[in-house]
Amino acid sequence: MNIIDKPADTSGSRLAQVTGRKVANLALQGGGSHGAFTWGVLDRLLEEERLEFEGITATSAGAVNAVVLADGLAAGGRGAARDALRLLWQKSIRPGVTWHISALNDR
């Protein structure tokens, strides 16, 4: 049997089975306004302690959110990820301010 013919595993991930947590895979789209909206959604998802992220795929502004999310999670968990996303969007929405991702190093 090849991978195309193999039936899908619908039992959920091992993490969900062991911990009772919900597992999510995220697909984040691009576009400046979508990126800002996604920040709010990610902020809310990060509040849910029972939710675990298994994978993320993204483009454009969504990819910026994904990188900042992953870096924050790796650096200090949910709180650090929320802080990093907040910093990203607060620094990028000031009118007349030129912004570059390297500005996150100021945190």
Side-chain angles (χ1 to χ4, degrees), residues 30-42:
S33 60
H34 290 124
F37 174 79
T38 301
W39 162 40
V41 174
L42 291 173

Side-chain angles (χ1 to χ4, degrees), residues 8-18 21-23 25 54:
D9 178 8
T10 58
S11 62
S13 78
R14 182 164 307 283
L15 176 66
Q17 293 170 2
V18 172
R21 293 181 177 215
K22 301 290 183 182
V23 176
N25 290 291
E54 188 173 65

